[in-house]
Every structure is written in structure tokens, then in C-alpha cells.
Amino acid sequence: MDGVRAHRREEAAKGFPLLRGCPSTFVLRRLAALDRMTERDREDYADQLSELAEAQAGGALSHDERAALVKRLPVVAEVEGSGAARPDLRFQNVKNLARLAADPGGIEGFIRLQGLEGESAGPPAPHVTSFAEAVPVTPAKLRKAVSGALEARFGGKVMKECADLDQLRVEVPRGRMVLNLGFASKGWGAMSRQLDYSLWADLDGVRMVPTTYEALWLLPAQWDLLTPSNVEAAAAHLVRLVETRLALQG
């Protein structure tokens, strides 16, 4: 756990660069809260989150037990209580933005109707820098970009397991890894997420619990801001996340 603790603190000191690369509204909400804090508070957050994560890893906490622990972690409590109280386009997934753009009045009409202004009336940057870019990447193009990036880095072949699941099984320096990739198909238009992933590995003879990079920050690994403009960068970032998560194991 010392390596994971150190990683959280180092990322906090740098401004959370790995989290910032994740095209996820869950991540953007978390970063918006952290960006309002001082550098010292962000580092305190990293330390306190480590306490919470380690407590949860030690066994399932009841709702009351978790609430009591969070009360003793004031910066974590502040972040978890900072959810937006009104519509905010920065935290709308790309499928919702595309639907809003297709409605009568479009996104500008929605902004006027909701009385949005300032940052809340802007797109979910940096992943979508204008509302014109808010077009979901097709599942086929997403699969191709992700598979290509992973195969180029880790070798092997990403195999299609079923309509919504691909899998990569490869040897890695300390053992072997299985990476699961979940995709939303064309028939799942109501689903906001476009990609989720998880990995596990046998490293040095020890099997790790299935996890993700975002799980280090107690966030879901659900990407919902993938567009034709950013899909290649997102695929490259997924490689970095997998590399980082493997390096932090054991």
C-alpha cells in the first residue's frame, strides 16, 4: 500500500495528470471539486483518501461505518459533499450532449432555459472543447482505436468475447494479465457509458484483485466522453493507465 499512497500524493502534487486524461464525467466532477482547493488541501485529500481506501479494502464497511469514517476525514467529506446542485453542461456525457443538440432549440436553448452561465454553460473540457465536437464515436471506431493501442504496447490480440465485451490476455514482465473491455453497442443508445475496463494479473505468483486505475481514487472506470476527435488520445491514455496500475501492484 505504501506505493499506492505515494502515487496518490505525487499525483495530487502534480495536479492529478493521470486522472485528467480520463474522458469521464465522473472524473471531471471530482477534479472540479479538487481544483477549488489549495495545493496543501489536495495533498491532504490524497492522504485521507488512502485511509478510506485502505479501510474499505480491509473489509466491507456498512453505510454507517463508512459515514463515521468520512466524518474523520474532513477533506474527503468536503469533496464528496460538493456535487452540483443544478444542471451543468461540463458534466454531461457526450451522448446526452448529442441528444440536447438534436432537440428543438439545441444546446443554446437548453442554456437559456436553465439559466446557465460561466463554466456551467461550457462543454466538458478538455475532452470535448466545443459543443460541435460532442458527437459520440462509433463503437467500431472505438474498438479499433483501443485494440490497436493495447496490442501495439502489450502484444497479443484483443479478442471479442461477446457483443459488448473484448478481452486481452498477454504475458507481462512479472507474469500475465487479463484486461476486460466493455463497450456500449449501437442498440444501447440510452446507456451513457461508452467504454469500461478492468484488469487483473498474476504477478510474481500472486493474483491481484480485478481493478482499474480510477479505483485508486474510488471512482468508476466508465468513459462517456469519447468522440471522433479524442478517441486516439483516449486509447493511448488507457495504455498509460494499465501500465501505471500494473507498476503499482505489489
Side-chain angles (χ1 to χ4, degrees):
M1 285 296 182
D2 288 345
V4 172
R5 274 183 168 261
H7 175 80
R8 290 193 186 101
R9 176 170 268 273
E10 181 180 356
E11 285 291 298
K14 292 179 178 178
F16 309 98
L18 282 176
L19 274 181
R20 288 190 194 279
C22 299
S24 161
T25 55
F26 297 96
V27 171
L28 286 188
R29 284 183 180 275
R30 179 65 55 85
L31 289 171
L34 293 171
D35 286 343
R36 293 193 289 269
M37 295 181 169
T38 65
E39 181 178 346
R40 175 60 185 272
D41 284 342
R42 288 193 291 270
E43 292 180 2
D44 286 346
Y45 172 76
D47 292 339
Q48 292 179 21
L49 191 74
S50 291
E51 292 187 43
L52 177 59
E54 290 166 15
Q56 292 184 167
L61 298 179
S62 70
H63 179 271
D64 290 343
E65 288 171 337
R66 188 184 191 281
L69 176 56
V70 170
K71 281 186 178 180
R72 301 196 297 273
L73 304 170
V75 186
V76 170
E78 180 181 347
V79 170
E80 291 196 353
S82 63
R86 60 178 302 174
D88 193 321
L89 290 176
R90 292 176 300 166
F91 309 134
Q92 291 293 317
N93 65 73
V94 71
K95 291 185 179 180
N96 283 346
L97 290 175
R99 281 191 282 267
L100 284 175
D103 284 343
I107 289 177
E108 290 301 323
F110 180 82
I111 291 173
R112 290 193 299 271
L113 180 65
Q114 297 293 334
L116 303 182
E117 56 186 16
E119 290 184 332
S120 66
H127 307 292
V128 182
T129 58
S130 72
F131 292 120
E133 292 180 12
V135 178
V137 66
T138 64
K141 186 171 183 178
L142 174 57
R143 264 189 157 105
K144 181 178 179 181
V146 169
S147 296
L150 291 169
E151 291 169 2
R153 171 59 181 87
F154 297 106
K157 181 70 175 176
V158 175
M159 303 300 293
K160 189 171 184 177
E161 299 295 311
C162 60
D164 62 333
L165 177 66
D166 289 3
Q167 192 174 80
L168 177 66
R169 295 173 174 264
V170 290
E171 300 295 318
V172 291
R174 294 162 52 202
R176 65 189 184 98
M177 173 185 72
V178 176
L179 175 62
N180 292 309
L181 302 161
F183 296 90
S185 64
K186 289 183 178 180
W188 296 359
M191 296 185 69
S192 62
R193 77 101 165 98
Q194 298 164 280
L195 169 70
D196 59 61
Y197 76 95
S198 67
L199 67 101
W200 61 266
D202 290 318
L203 300 178
D204 301 325
V206 178
R207 176 164 293 189
M208 64 189 289
V209 175
T211 190
T212 67
Y213 178 78
E214 289 91 329
L216 296 180
W217 302 95
L218 304 186
L219 290 167
Q222 296 183 9
W223 291 10
D224 54 4
L225 292 169
L226 294 162
T227 72
S229 299
N230 68 30
V231 66
E232 298 293 341
H237 190 67
L238 179 59
V239 170
R240 287 189 287 272
L241 298 186
V242 173
E243 290 174 333
T244 300
R245 192 63 193 89
L246 288 173
L248 288 172
Q249 188 64 25

